[in-house]
Amino acid sequence: MLKKFPEGFMWGGAVSNVQAEGSNLTDGKGWNVYDALEIKKETGQVDIDDTNIASNHYRQFEEDIEYMKQCGYTAYRFSVVWSRIHPNGDDEQPNELGLAYYDRMIDKLLEAGIQPVVSLVHFDMPANLLKKYNGLANRQVVDFFERHVNVVAERFKDKVKYWITYNEINTITGHAELVGGAIKGEQETDASFFNTITCNSQLAHAKALLTIKKYNPDAWVSGMIAYTPVNPRTSKPRDVLAAQIFNNFKSLISFDIMNTGKFPNYYLNFLNNNKLAIALNDTDLNTIKEASKQLDYLAVSYYQTRTIAAPEVSDEAAFINAVIFNTPTVVSEHSKANNWGWAIDPVGYRKALNDIYQRYGKPVFVVENGLALVEEVNENGEVIDDARIQYHKDHLIAMRDAALIDGTELLGYLAWAPFDFLSSHKEMRKRYGFVYIDSQENNFKRIPKKSYYWYQDVIKTHGESL
Ligand code: BG6
C-alpha cells in the first residue's frame, strides 16, 4: 500500500491575520469587526484577550515565516486584512502602508520557497461598514468590497497564484456580525435575513473571483466553506432527513451556488415557502453565473462533525425552518470532544472530503484543520503536545485514504496553525499552533512545540512517516 501523498500535494499551515497580528491601529489600519466584536464566551472559554496584542505577528512575521521555512512548508494561507487596506471600507483611496506590509510578507514567503495562499475576508471587514451600512445586509457593501479586491488583486497579481475569496462564507448565516458585518433587524424574519446575506455574500464571492481573474487569468481561485457535517442522531428517517436539510442550508448551499452559478431548487422552494425572492437583480445573477464557470478548486476547513435530532413539527415547510433556525446540534456519543466541546472525528473527515469531491468534482484544498489545547512550557523549556500530534496524524491518514483509496482529488493540507494566536472568540489560552507564543512579558518568544518537529518529519517524507 502506497504511503506517500499524491505528487504535488502542498504542505503548510494557515492563519487569520486579525487573530495574529495585533497592532490594531498601526500604520493607518482601521478598526474591524473582529476588533470590535463583543464576545459572548463559548463553552469552555475562560479569558477574553486583547486583539491589539495577539501574537505580535505584525512585527514578528519574518521570524514566523522562518519557522515555516525550516519546517518545510510549501504553502501558507494568510489573510490580507481588509481594514489595513481600506480602513473605513468606503474610502476612495487605499492605505499604502497596509499594502506595503503584505508586499513584504509575500516577498518573504516567496524567498522562503513558500506559495502564498491569500484569503480576502477573514473576520476583517472594516467596523465602519457595519456601523454605517450594516455590512453584507446591504448590497452597497458588495461594491466597496469589489473596489477593495481590485486594489489587492492588482497589487499582488504577479506574486500570488492561489486565492480564497471569502473565509467560511457559509457561516455568515450563523455568525453574521463577525463573518459579514451584519446584524439582523428586530422586525426581520430569520428567513429573510438568511436570504439577504446569502445573496450578497455570494455576489461578493463572484465579484472577487472575476476581479482576480481580470488581473491574472492564470490565478487559481476558490470560495471557501467551513464543513461541519451533521449526522442523524439516530437512524430514524426523520433524523436522517433533518441532517440532509441542515447540511444543505448551513454548509453546502454556498458551494452549490458557486459551482452551478444558480440557486438550487431546495433553496428556491424555501424562499417560496417563506414568501421571499432572491435578493439580487439579473445583472448580479449573471455575475454569479459567470464566476461559476471559472471556479478552480474547493477550499474547506474541517474541525469536527455533529449530530441532529429532528424537531417535532408536523408542517413540512415549517419543519425546514425549524431545522435551520431552531435545532441545536450535539457531539455524537461515539466521538470524543476537546475542552471546548468540539468532536474529534477523523473518519468523518474522510467522508467530508469525499462528499465535497463527489458532489462537485473539483479538487479539494484543506485550508484549516487542527486541535486546540491548553498548554504550558515545561521546566525544560518544551511544549509537549502529544494530543495535537495524534489529531493531525489521524486526520492526515484519513485524508490519505480519501485520496488513495476513495479517489478524492486533494490539493494540499494547511494545518491550523503554524503558531499560536487568538481564537475566533479572542482567547489566547485556546492554542492551535505548532509554535508556542509566549506572553508579552516574555517578549512574545517563539518556542517550537513537539508537534513542530513531528510535522517537519511528515513533510520531509511526504506523509510516509505517518
Ligand atoms: C475557523 C475560522 O472557523 O475556525 C478561524 O476560520 C478560527 O478563524 C478557527 O480560529 C478555529 O475556531 P476557534 O473558534 O477555536 O478559533
Side-chain angles (χ1 to χ4, degrees):
M1 166 67 202
L2 283 172
K3 291 215 167 137
K4 284 197 178 183
F5 278 68
E7 214 178 305
F9 183 90
M10 290 181 265
W11 296 96
V15 310
S16 143
N17 282 50
V18 287
Q19 294 167 243
E21 285 177 1
S23 305
N24 274 347
L25 298 175
T26 307
D27 292 338
K29 173 177 167 284
W31 199 246
N32 57 48
V33 289
Y34 180 70
D35 302 325
L37 191 73
E38 268 189 49
I39 294 295
K40 207 169 134 239
K41 286 185 182 169
E42 68 174 326
T43 313
Q45 178 162 4
V46 175
D47 303 319
I48 296 175
D49 294 299
D50 189 350
T51 62
N52 192 33
I53 296 174
S55 315
N56 200 33
H57 180 64
Y58 191 72
R59 297 177 200 288
Q60 287 177 248
F61 76 88
E62 282 161 326
E63 192 181 343
D64 293 328
I65 293 174
E66 197 54 40
Y67 276 112
M68 296 175 211
K69 178 181 171 189
Q70 297 308 329
C71 194
Y73 285 26
T74 55
Y76 170 60
R77 169 184 173 221
F78 68 94
S79 43
V80 166
V81 174
W82 186 348
S83 70
R84 274 204 195 280
I85 312 300
H86 288 97
N88 301 302
D90 53 3
D91 330 64
E92 299 269 338
Q93 295 305 323
N95 171 29
E96 173 53 34
L97 290 176
L99 288 164
Y101 171 65
Y102 295 108
D103 242 329
R104 291 200 298 281
M105 186 175 288
I106 293 168
D107 288 345
K108 175 80 192 163
L109 287 166
L110 294 173
E111 266 166 48
I114 300 173
Q115 184 81 247
V117 178
V118 170
S119 315
L120 285 168
V121 193
H122 199 144
F123 308 162
D124 48 17
M125 181 186 286
N128 178 53
L129 292 183
L130 187 162
K131 209 167 132 205
K132 212 155 136 195
Y133 306 89
N134 202 17
L136 279 182
N138 184 336
R139 167 68 180 75
Q140 209 185 337
V141 169
V142 180
D143 296 331
F144 296 134
F145 177 57
E146 189 180 8
R147 179 156 73 192
H148 167 69
V149 180
N150 262 286
V151 169
V152 177
E154 183 174 18
R155 177 72 167 234
F156 303 126
K157 64 180 189 300
D158 299 326
K159 298 180 178 178
V160 174
K161 174 171 178 194
Y162 291 94
W163 297 82
I164 293 171
T165 55
Y166 209 113
N167 178 68
E168 297 185 335
I169 196 166
N170 58 313
T171 63
I172 195 169
T173 55
H175 305 280
E177 186 174 349
L178 181 62
V179 180
I183 297 175
K184 183 172 93 66
E186 273 174 25
Q187 304 304 319
E188 206 174 0
T189 63
D190 287 332
S192 159
F193 185 64
F194 186 100
N195 182 40
T196 307
I197 53 180
T198 297
C199 290
N200 286 340
S201 60
Q202 282 295 322
L203 181 63
H205 153 80
K207 283 185 174 266
L209 183 149
L210 293 172
T211 304
I212 296 163
K213 294 276 189 180
K214 174 176 80 182
Y215 290 107
N216 178 7
D218 296 329
W220 264 54
V221 191
S222 173
M224 178 194 167
I225 66 164
Y227 194 25
T228 301
V230 170
N231 296 314
R233 181 89 41 84
T234 70
S235 55
K236 280 187 218 154
R238 296 294 287 179
D239 288 357
V240 177
L241 182 65
Q244 182 188 51
I245 293 166
F246 195 97
N247 289 325
N248 278 349
F249 281 90
K250 301 292 266 195
S251 295
L252 300 173
I253 179 68
S254 308
F255 274 173
D256 284 348
I257 301 169
M258 285 178 198
N259 274 275
T260 62
K262 49 184 201 208
F263 289 71
N265 277 350
Y266 68 82
Y267 190 82
L268 297 176
N269 287 5
F270 157 80
L271 293 185
N272 211 14
N273 290 331
N274 286 285
K275 303 192 173 31
L276 296 166
I278 291 179
L280 295 170
N281 62 30
D282 286 350
T283 312
D284 293 341
L285 288 173
N286 203 36
T287 301
I288 289 177
K289 183 99 222 154
E290 281 310 303
S292 73
K293 296 179 192 155
Q294 299 187 56
L295 187 76
D296 295 296
Y297 68 101
L298 300 167
V300 294
S301 67
Y302 173 91
Y303 290 89
Q304 59 162 332
T305 52
R306 314 275 300 172
T307 68
I308 192 166
E312 298 281 333
V313 180
S314 49
D315 176 86
E316 288 308 309
F319 177 75
I320 293 181
N321 281 33
V323 169
I324 306 170
F325 301 119
N326 290 316
T327 308
T329 62
V330 301
V331 172
S332 156
E333 73 215 78
H334 303 292
S335 302
K336 288 195 201 129
N338 72 11
N339 282 0
W340 291 265
W342 296 31
I344 299 174
D345 182 1
V347 177
Y349 179 51
R350 172 172 166 186
K351 180 175 176 296
L353 299 174
N354 293 342
D355 281 348
I356 300 279
Y357 183 65
Q358 289 166 15
R359 188 155 167 149
Y360 307 110
K362 290 205 159 79
V364 182
F365 199 169
V366 176
V367 297
E368 272 187 48
N369 172 244
L371 178 70
L373 295 171
V374 179
E375 297 166 293
E376 277 172 14
V377 185
N378 70 16
E379 62 281 6
N380 302 321
E382 307 154 323
V383 181
I384 306 296
D385 55 344
D386 289 320
R388 176 169 298 107
I389 294 174
Q390 194 63 48
Y391 181 96
H392 285 284
K393 179 173 178 182
D394 292 345
H395 285 74
L396 279 167
I397 290 172
M399 195 171 184
R400 191 172 62 190
D401 289 344
L404 302 183
I405 296 179
D406 307 328
T408 286
E409 218 182 319
L410 299 171
L411 285 182
Y413 182 73
L414 304 185
W416 196 261
F419 54 91
D420 292 335
F421 44 80
L422 304 179
S423 73
S424 65
H425 287 69
K426 305 185 183 173
E427 191 182 27
M428 191 68 183
R429 182 177 155 275
K430 188 179 190 186
R431 292 173 184 267
Y432 283 93
F434 292 137
V435 174
Y436 186 89
I437 307 287
D438 215 330
S439 59
Q440 187 171 21
E441 294 72 54
N442 292 331
N443 294 321
F444 305 101
K445 185 164 181 247
R446 272 63 178 147
I447 305 168
K449 303 179 192 177
K450 187 174 171 188
S451 58
Y452 175 88
Y453 299 105
W454 169 84
Y455 195 44
Q456 191 174 46
D457 204 39
V458 172
I459 298 177
K460 196 157 70 194
T461 63
H462 208 52
E464 209 167 4
S465 67
L466 283 166

